[in-house]
Amino acid sequence: MKEEIMEFIEKTVYEYEFQGAVVGISGGIDSAVVGKLCVEALGRDRVYGLILPERDSSPETVSDATLVCKYLGIDYAIKPITKLLRVMGVYKLEPAAMFIPRKLQENYVRKRMRELSYSDNPFIDDLESKGNAEFLKGLAYYRVKHRARMCMLYLEAERRNDVVVGTTNKTEEATGFYVKWGDDAVDVEPIMHLYKTQVYQLAELLGVPERIRRKAPSPDLVPGITDEFMFGMSYEELDRILMKLEKGKTLKGESNENVEKVRKILEAAKKRKLRQISLR
């Protein structure tokens, strides 16, 4: 698995005459794994990390992302995108809660998302962009952050003639758990054939720091929203059902509620996978 991905990265950089690779380092497990694979494929001198926090990022984001970059042994830069988002008027949509403890912010956001949900599943509403004006405002608010990061990654990569390496895994791609024209807008995706649980296995093999392997996966776009909160189940449950569906295996023993939830997610995710539609 590891050698195949490394060969894929090296071959892509060589064939398309890039100098190296730029990776957005979030402090999460996916970017740590991708960064390590790039380092082993290209050498640490040809991999550059960008840490792109903003106003609503977790207090641990920068320290965790820095930990990853030091583990990788790569050059990196911390470039907050708060000013960019402020100039765009993004923060006017959701004013700052500066003096409210982070835990209270997280609880409030989760409660608010449930209340504004069009159905009984906020993530499916997200995938289908359904909801009242307040809910849709929230979608626009968080999605633009990944799109701003995409611009920063390409700005850095193109001045270096580097490839922008993505960190989307198979679970995220299948379920639509990404921002269209945001974190899916990259040149190469080394781990898109691996389910999230397989990424964890690879992370252990690669020696990714335990702190990064044990933290709750989160898109880190608004306080309190983790991956498993959005899915409504653990990655172990989700991946197990996805694998069984992919291979046509029996779903006996799985929660009927979770199986139905996954089926609805997969159907709703089709909308996110649409690209330009034209009459030709």
Side-chain angles (χ1 to χ4, degrees):
M1 180 193 303
K2 170 186 167 184
E3 287 72 21
E4 182 182 13
I5 299 173
M6 288 166 53
E7 182 181 347
F8 169 68
I9 294 170
E10 185 178 20
K11 181 179 178 182
T12 300
V13 170
Y14 174 77
E15 286 190 356
Y16 291 93
E17 300 181 338
F18 288 105
Q19 296 298 312
V22 168
V23 184
I25 304 296
S26 66
I29 193 164
D30 295 312
S31 63
V33 166
V34 168
K36 181 63 172 177
L37 291 167
C38 287
V39 166
E40 297 210 6
L42 305 172
R44 64 185 60 183
D45 293 339
R46 298 175 67 191
V47 180
Y48 190 75
L50 269 186
I51 302 172
L52 303 167
E54 50 91 22
R55 187 193 73 179
D56 296 326
S57 295
S58 165
E60 290 80 34
T61 291
V62 172
S63 59
D64 285 348
T66 302
L67 170 65
V68 169
C69 290
K70 290 181 178 178
Y71 149 74
L72 297 175
I74 60 174
D75 289 337
Y76 66 94
I78 302 170
K79 296 188 176 183
I81 60 170
T82 300
K83 289 183 179 179
L84 172 61
L85 295 174
R86 185 170 288 123
V87 169
M88 293 173 68
V90 174
Y91 293 130
K92 291 180 181 179
L93 298 176
E94 299 288 348
M98 295 177 60
F99 302 108
I100 299 177
R102 181 79 180 189
K103 197 66 179 177
L104 292 180
Q105 293 181 41
E106 293 173 353
N107 291 336
Y108 172 80
V109 170
R110 288 191 291 264
K111 179 174 180 290
R112 189 69 172 153
M113 177 166 276
R114 292 191 187 99
E115 290 174 347
L116 294 175
S117 176
Y118 179 79
S119 65
D120 61 347
N121 191 318
F123 181 48
I124 290 177
D125 294 341
D126 182 323
L127 288 170
E128 296 182 336
S129 294
K130 288 183 178 178
N132 59 29
E134 193 68 19
F135 187 82
L136 295 178
K137 182 180 73 171
L139 299 186
Y141 176 77
Y142 88 75
R143 289 174 181 172
V144 72
K145 297 178 182 182
H146 268 334
R147 292 171 181 144
R149 290 188 173 113
M150 178 271 291
C151 291
M152 294 294 289
L153 288 169
Y154 270 98
L155 176 65
E156 188 64 39
E158 289 180 344
R159 59 186 289 268
R160 294 169 169 270
N161 188 28
D162 281 355
V163 64
V164 175
V165 184
T167 63
T168 302
N169 59 61
K170 189 170 184 176
T171 307
E172 293 169 338
E173 193 280 330
T175 59
F177 196 67
Y178 55 85
V179 173
K180 187 175 178 180
W181 309 124
D183 50 335
D184 74 329
V186 297
D187 295 315
V188 58
E189 290 280 15
I191 61 170
M192 194 178 272
H193 63 300
L194 300 179
Y195 286 104
K196 184 76 170 189
T197 47
Q198 294 173 319
V199 175
Y200 275 103
Q201 294 169 7
L202 184 54
E204 188 170 0
L205 175 68
L206 293 171
V208 170
E210 185 177 7
R211 172 176 174 78
I212 305 303
R213 288 189 281 118
R214 290 190 176 276
K215 69 185 290 188
S218 168
D220 198 29
L221 298 171
V222 289
I225 301 302
T226 64
D227 297 13
E228 293 183 349
F229 168 82
M230 293 298 287
F231 290 129
M233 68 187 83
S234 70
Y235 267 116
E236 287 76 13
E237 294 172 291
L238 176 58
D239 279 358
R240 194 171 60 243
I241 293 171
L242 288 173
M243 290 178 190
K244 288 180 178 180
L245 288 172
E246 180 186 23
K247 297 175 182 177
K249 290 186 175 182
T250 178
L251 292 164
K252 185 177 180 180
E254 299 295 343
S255 159
N256 290 333
E257 180 183 353
N258 283 347
V259 169
E260 183 61 22
K261 189 181 296 183
V262 172
R263 290 188 188 278
K264 288 181 178 179
I265 288 173
L266 294 177
E267 182 62 29
K270 293 177 182 178
K271 182 175 180 180
R272 182 149 298 175
K273 297 178 183 181
L274 288 173
R275 288 302 186 254
Q276 293 101 331
I277 303 172
S278 63
L279 180 61
R280 290 185 180 177

